[in-house]
């Protein structure tokens, strides 16, 4: 039953059917399926499939757009549920989050933000296409513990390094930790640019953020 549900979820994204995706997300909540399982074992398989077709030239931008919109419709429903399940926690620390400038992919970044909030962090989600200096300035004014930078494009991930350099320039590099992630980002890349933390996914991002607080002595 759950397997059937997961494959229907993936198919709704492949078909770019936002209403169907939203309906399945709501049904999964009624059935007691963990929202994160619905995302990772259902909807993400669909969006990955469309992404692969797109990179092989077997799907075009409109299909990518429709898949992205259907994915957002489903994830919105599930994120609301995750937030509900994780409310009323003590705040561990604060994080400024955004998708780096030039990049408008927001589904994974928003999911990371939701998981961090549910995990007990105060999250300032600045959205997508966020200028480097906006991230750094917000972290400074909010005395944030961490800046979390998402990038989905090989052309934009290089700007994660600029965030670190911008912090350095204003003398806040040791006060504010930088965590990076996004589909093309690897642990090697994170090490190469001197990021403090890297996670492959949204669940791991919470554990990494907690480790960074420990590293800060909090
Ligand atoms: Co775009 N896109 N896209 N896209 N898109 C990719 C990324 C791509 C890999 C597709 C492909 O060719 N196979 C490719 C990038 C190639 C590359 O650079 N290596 C690509 C391209 C080329 C483009 C355009 C350039 C296409 C064009 O216009 N010709 C364009 C770029 C626009 C721009 O940003 N300037 C573009 C546009 C779009 C849409 C707008 C149509 C849409 C986005 C809709 C939206 O976000 N609102 C879209 C989509 C949907 C995708 C794919 C298919 C799916 C992305 C997604 O939402 N995944 C994607 C292919 C793919 O990844 N399979 C693709 C689901 C999401 C839950 O996963 O975002 O990876 P993800 O996040 C994960 C982890 O990465 C991690 O945790 C998340 C949850 O587990 N994570 C972090 C993310 N951020 C993190 C931060 C952290 C830690 C973990 O700490 C800070």
């Amino acid at each position: 039953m759950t397997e059937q549900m997961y494959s229907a979820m993936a198919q709704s994204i492949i078909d770019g059917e936002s209403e169907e995706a939203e309906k399945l997300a709501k049904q999964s909540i009624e059935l007691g399926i963990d929202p994160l399982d619905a995302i990772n074992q259902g909807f993400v398989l669909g969006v990955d499939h469309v992404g692969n077709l797109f990179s092989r030239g077997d799907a075009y931008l409109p299909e990518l757009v429709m898949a992205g919109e259907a994915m957002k419709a489903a994830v919105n429903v599930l994120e609301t549920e995750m937030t509900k399940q994780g409310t009323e926690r003590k705040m561990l620390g604060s994080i400024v989050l955004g998708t780096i400038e030039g990049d408008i992919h927001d589904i994974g970044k928003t999911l990371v933000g939701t998981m961090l909030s549910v995990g007990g962090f105060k999250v300032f989600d600045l959205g997508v296409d966020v200028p480097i200096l906006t991230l750094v300035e917000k972290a400074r004014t909010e005395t944030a513990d961490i800046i979390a930078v998402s990038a989905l494009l090989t052309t934009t991930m290089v700007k994660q390094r600029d965030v670190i350099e911008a912090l350095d320039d204003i003398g806040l590099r040791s006060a504010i930790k930088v965590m990076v992630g996004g589909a093309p980002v690897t642990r090697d890349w994170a090490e190469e640019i001197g990021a403090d933390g890297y996670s492959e996914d949204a669940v791991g991002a919470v554990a990494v953020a907690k480790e960074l607080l420990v590293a800060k002595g909090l």
Side-chain angles (χ1 to χ4, degrees), residues 39-40 44 47-48 50-52 54-55 61 64-65 67-69 71-72 97 102-109 111-112 148-155 179-184 199-203 205:
I39 293 172
N40 289 333
V44 161
V47 86
D48 279 349
V50 177
N52 290 337
F54 180 76
S55 57
L61 196 55
L64 197 64
V65 172
E69 280 171 6
M71 184 76 191
K72 275 198 78 143
L97 167 72
D103 196 326
I104 60 166
H105 293 88
D106 75 343
I107 299 168
K109 178 273 301 166
L111 192 54
V112 168
V149 198
S150 179
L152 264 285
L153 300 171
T154 42
T155 48
M179 181 169 137
V180 294
S199 169
E200 192 181 6
D201 58 31
V203 174

Side-chain angles (χ1 to χ4, degrees), residues 123-166:
V123 178
F124 300 96
D125 185 343
L126 305 190
V128 296
D129 191 16
V130 186
I132 290 150
L133 291 182
T134 305
L135 284 167
V136 169
E137 188 51 20
K138 183 71 175 171
R140 190 184 67 76
T141 53
E142 298 292 346
T143 54
D145 300 298
I146 298 168
I147 298 180
V149 198
S150 179
L152 264 285
L153 300 171
T154 42
T155 48
T156 57
M157 68 184 240
V158 290
K159 297 183 192 170
Q160 290 176 328
R161 187 202 301 266
D162 299 345
V163 174
I164 295 170
E165 289 176 0

Side-chain angles (χ1 to χ4, degrees), residues 66-114:
M66 285 174 73
E69 280 171 6
M71 184 76 191
K72 275 198 78 143
V75 170
N76 279 345
V77 171
L78 296 165
E79 280 176 341
T80 306
E81 180 63 16
M82 281 191 267
T83 308
K84 230 192 269 171
Q85 291 178 7
T87 46
E88 293 180 34
R89 295 212 182 178
K90 181 175 151 287
M91 287 301 154
L92 299 174
S94 61
I95 301 184
V96 169
L97 167 72
T99 301
I100 198 70
E101 65 183 47
D103 196 326
I104 60 166
H105 293 88
D106 75 343
I107 299 168
K109 178 273 301 166
T110 305
L111 192 54
V112 168
T114 303

